[in-house]
């Protein structure tokens, strides 16, 4: 994937802890959080996830820096591994404590294969899995192009991506919080409440990330300098961070519509189509073209162009879905009238 002799060992050490040993607790952490959130316990889902994140932040310096365990990149991976394990323990204790008051059960005797359940899981799970896979492939392509400009460009892209993920994950959090509400109202046929929830989520998410995007664009050099003092990396990072930040408002629109509407309403086919459009049809080809014609900073703007196009398509699709829900609601009212 483009690792050089100077960073290959560090990457391998980090991978050992986060993937070879850490994949299971990392995935289980997410799955258990979804179980808890599905019953409306968004606070507990957030607490469980955040306790792992906060612990990771606190113990990172101890594992990484010379005054601590001095493990370097391996220490960062080890801290992530332990933090995910702690989050898993939190959720397991929570589910055990709430047994009898929850439909979530981890008792092996309740594990059985059901065609209907499997169909529902795979119809939503496969598009989501492919979307995550495409995200990884896209990031790998992005990193591979950055390696052509040296380790400074790779470091700058890493910093820009980490900063960019903060508002991005906030938008995703709003989308995940809306999912149960949208799903409940879709199932009950309450189209008005569903539309109100989606519109509220869009306003909150887009407004927040738009403000953050403006701040990141204006103060990009200062933000990158918080991580490193190298002037070359700051120069690369400033351009990369600005390019990524400009796409944030459009990403917020896309993720809320795809996750909070398509996935929550069982429209797995549409979610899969958007995943293919985002990465395979748009972003990866744009990375290739922009890197060819506008090096070295063009690759940072591929996401902006892709998300802008998808936001327009997503809003048009959402409008059609709302109209369909209104028609179904009107027909249902006519049927119950004497």
């Amino acid at each position: 994937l483009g690792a050089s002799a100077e960073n290959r060992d560090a990457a391998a050490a980090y991978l050992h802890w986060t993937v070879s040993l850490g994949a299971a607790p990392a995935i289980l952490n997410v799955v258990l959080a979804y179980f808890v959130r599905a019953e409306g316990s968004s606070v507990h889902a957030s607490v469980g996830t955040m306790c792992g994140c906060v612990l990771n932040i606190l113990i990172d310096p101890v594992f990484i820096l010379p005054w601590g365990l001095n493990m370097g990149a391996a220490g960062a991976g080890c801290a992530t591994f332990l933090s995910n394990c702690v989050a898993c323990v939190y959720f397991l204790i929570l589910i055990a404590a709430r047994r009898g008051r929850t439909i979530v059960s981890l008792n092996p005797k309740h594990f059985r294969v059901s065609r209907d359940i499997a169909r529902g899981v795979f119809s939503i799970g496969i598009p989501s899995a492919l979307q995550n896979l495409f995200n990884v492939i896209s990031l790998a392509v992005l990193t591979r192009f950055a390696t052509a400009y040296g380790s400074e460009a790779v470091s700058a892209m890493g910093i820009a991506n980490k900063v960019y993920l903060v508002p991005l994950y906030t938008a995703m959090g709003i989308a995940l919080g809306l999912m149960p509400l949208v799903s409940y109202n879709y199932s009950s046929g309450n189209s008005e409440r569903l539309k109100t929830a989606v519109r509220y989520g869009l306003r909150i998410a887009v407004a927040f990330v738009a403000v953050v995007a403006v701040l990141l664009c204006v103060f990009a050099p200062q933000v990158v300098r918080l991580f490193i003092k190298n002037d070359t990396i700051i120069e690369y990072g400033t351009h990369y961070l600005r390019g990524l930040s400009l796409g944030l408002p459009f990403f917020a629109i896309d993720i809320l519509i795809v996750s909070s509407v398509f996935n929550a309403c069982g429209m797995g086919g549409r979610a899969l189509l958007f995943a293919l459009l985002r990465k395979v049809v748009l972003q990866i080809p744009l990375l290739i073209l922009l890197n060819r014609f506008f090096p070295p900073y063009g690759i940072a703007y591929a996401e902006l162009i892709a998300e802008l196009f998808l936001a327009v398509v997503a809003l048009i699709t959402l409008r059609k879905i709302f109209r369909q829900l209104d028609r179904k609601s009107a027909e249902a009212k006519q049927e119950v009238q004497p």
Side-chain angles (χ1 to χ4, degrees):
L1 296 177
S4 62
E6 61 183 315
N7 58 32
R8 186 181 295 113
D9 290 342
Y14 185 80
L15 208 63
H16 171 72
W17 283 102
T18 56
V19 179
S20 301
L21 298 178
I27 295 171
L28 187 61
N29 176 13
V30 175
V31 172
L32 294 175
Y34 269 99
F35 283 167
V36 173
R37 187 183 293 112
E39 291 190 318
S41 300
S42 295
V43 173
H44 280 297
S46 299
V47 170
T49 304
M50 286 304 298
C51 74
C53 295
V54 172
L55 178 62
N56 198 353
I57 294 171
L58 293 176
I59 66 176
D60 256 342
V62 179
F63 282 78
I64 297 171
L65 298 178
W67 56 262
L69 298 178
N70 196 25
M71 295 173 64
C78 184
T80 300
F81 166 72
L82 293 175
S83 301
N84 283 327
C85 289
V86 169
C88 288
V89 170
Y90 174 89
F91 285 122
L92 290 172
I93 293 174
L94 175 66
I95 292 172
R98 298 174 64 183
R99 64 182 181 274
R101 294 179 289 119
T102 174
I103 62 169
V104 176
S105 173
L106 301 180
N107 191 329
K109 73 177 184 179
H110 295 148
F111 294 177
R112 58 175 58 90
V113 177
S114 167
R115 180 178 297 178
D116 291 338
I117 292 177
R119 184 184 298 114
V121 170
F122 287 118
S123 67
I124 300 301
I126 289 178
S128 297
L130 288 176
Q131 182 172 345
N132 288 328
L133 176 62
F134 295 148
N135 288 339
V136 172
I137 294 173
S138 175
L139 182 59
V141 173
L142 181 63
T143 305
R144 191 70 182 87
F145 284 139
T147 59
Y149 307 108
S151 297
E152 290 88 353
V154 176
S155 299
M157 182 57 73
I159 292 171
N161 266 307
K162 293 297 187 297
V163 175
Y164 165 74
L165 287 176
V166 174
L168 182 145
Y169 280 147
T170 303
M172 291 180 66
I174 295 173
L176 292 174
L178 276 174
M179 281 182 71
L181 184 61
V182 172
S183 183
Y184 301 153
N185 286 288
Y186 179 78
S187 300
S188 65
N190 192 339
S191 61
E192 286 303 316
R193 195 175 183 210
L194 185 153
K195 291 190 295 183
T196 300
V198 173
R199 288 167 178 161
Y200 175 78
L202 282 171
R203 286 197 298 269
I204 294 297
V206 173
F208 172 78
V209 298
V211 171
V212 174
V214 171
L215 293 175
L216 290 178
C217 286
V218 173
F219 299 105
Q222 291 84 352
V223 172
V224 178
R225 191 173 287 111
L226 291 174
F227 293 85
I228 200 164
K229 305 301 182 183
N230 184 293
D231 290 337
T232 304
I233 294 177
I234 292 172
E235 178 69 18
Y236 276 117
T238 298
H239 287 280
Y240 290 152
L241 183 56
R242 284 172 175 164
L244 293 173
S245 299
L246 289 173
L248 279 170
F250 308 111
F251 173 85
I253 294 173
D254 298 338
I255 195 65
L256 258 82
I257 293 176
V258 173
S259 293
S260 297
V261 179
F262 296 169
N263 285 337
C265 298
M267 302 174 183
R270 293 181 179 180
L272 177 58
L273 177 61
F274 268 72
L276 290 170
L277 283 173
R278 172 178 283 110
K279 298 299 180 182
V280 179
V281 177
L282 293 172
Q283 192 167 339
I284 294 177
L286 282 168
L287 283 172
I288 297 170
L289 289 173
L290 292 174
N291 184 64
R292 179 179 177 84
F293 294 106
F294 304 99
Y297 305 122
I299 53 178
Y301 295 87
E303 184 135 348
L304 165 63
I305 299 172
E307 297 296 349
L308 174 59
F309 175 81
L310 285 172
V312 174
V313 176
L315 288 171
I316 293 172
T317 306
L318 180 66
R319 186 178 180 183
K320 291 181 179 179
I321 292 173
F322 281 174
R323 287 178 176 176
Q324 291 172 357
L325 292 174
D326 288 339
R327 284 198 296 268
K328 288 182 180 180
S329 179
E331 292 172 358
K333 289 180 180 178
Q334 290 178 355
E335 289 178 359
V336 299
Q337 289 177 355

